[in-house]
Amino acid sequence: MDNSLPIDNPSMSRRQLLNFLTGSVIASTAGAALYPVAKYFIPPAESNAGGAIIAKDKLGNPIPASQILAEPAGTRALIAGLAGEPTYLTVKQDGTLENVGIVDNCTHLGCTFPWNEIDQQFQCPCHGSRYSADGSVLRGPAPLPLKIVHVAVKDNSIWISPWTEIDPRTGETPWWV
Ligand code: FES
């Protein structure tokens, strides 16, 4: 007589199901525990659906807001903005960042230009155009105000986004839109 037990298929199925469920619980628990670790190592998104991008230095590394805000009030700091455009950010007297950035691209023939601290102007070295702090033309031959962008700080990241609404300096649709 054969006394061996018959293979209990339903029992095996239950065990497999139990193993599967236990494994799932362990996997999901491990996943939940590792999420903050993974989040730490994965850099934050560098652009969003609204066309905003994170400001970077000339080497392409994100610039923390704290790095620019460590500079004295009145500083114009150059960052790489939308499409890599060099863009001036201003440290305000209250130690925050101006929410408008000025694109460093002369509207005459496209030269870049420095900020003159004494005259409080952007002064183009190519043909002498001058712009006020908000990018309005003070002296030609530049025909148009400097392009501006939105600047916002979130979690120590600086976000640059396109300015597509009315240009507050002219009251008109921006020339670059
Ligand atoms: Fe700036 Fe000509 S390119 S004045």
Side-chain angles (χ1 to χ4, degrees):
M1 183 176 174
D2 183 4
N3 289 329
S4 64
L5 294 170
I7 296 172
D8 187 355
N9 281 332
S11 172
M12 289 296 285
S13 296
R14 278 197 298 273
R15 189 176 303 127
Q16 285 171 340
L17 179 64
L18 189 63
N19 287 345
F20 174 77
L21 290 175
T22 308
S24 297
V25 169
I26 290 171
S28 62
T29 304
L34 288 174
Y35 174 72
V37 178
K39 192 164 179 256
Y40 179 82
F41 284 107
I42 298 172
E46 295 183 359
S47 63
N48 71 12
I53 57 107
I54 284 188
K56 296 181 179 172
D57 63 21
K58 58 186 176 186
L59 298 177
N61 300 313
I63 302 181
S66 54
Q67 182 178 324
I68 292 180
L69 294 175
E71 300 296 324
T75 294
R76 263 67 179 181
L78 261 182
I79 56 100
L82 297 169
E85 285 176 323
T87 303
Y88 282 105
L89 306 183
T90 303
V91 179
K92 296 198 297 182
Q93 293 298 325
D94 65 3
T96 62
L97 218 47
E98 179 63 60
N99 61 6
V100 180
I102 306 277
V103 175
D104 180 13
N105 189 335
C106 183
T107 59
H108 179 221
L109 291 175
C111 284
T112 56
F113 46 80
W115 168 252
N116 185 310
E117 180 68 33
I118 295 170
D119 293 339
Q120 293 286 296
Q121 295 174 354
F122 295 106
Q123 299 181 344
C124 184
C126 292
H127 311 95
S129 289
R130 296 187 172 202
Y131 303 89
S132 62
D134 71 358
S136 300
V137 177
L138 295 173
R139 187 173 91 187
L144 296 163
L146 295 168
K147 182 178 174 181
I148 54 176
V149 294
H150 290 284
V151 178
V153 175
K154 187 180 175 203
D155 298 333
N156 205 27
S157 292
I158 304 169
W159 288 87
I160 309 294
S161 57
W163 192 294
T164 56
E165 55 272 40
I166 294 295
D167 184 335
R169 301 163 302 184
T170 63
E172 298 173 0
T173 301
W175 59 261
W176 57 87
V177 171

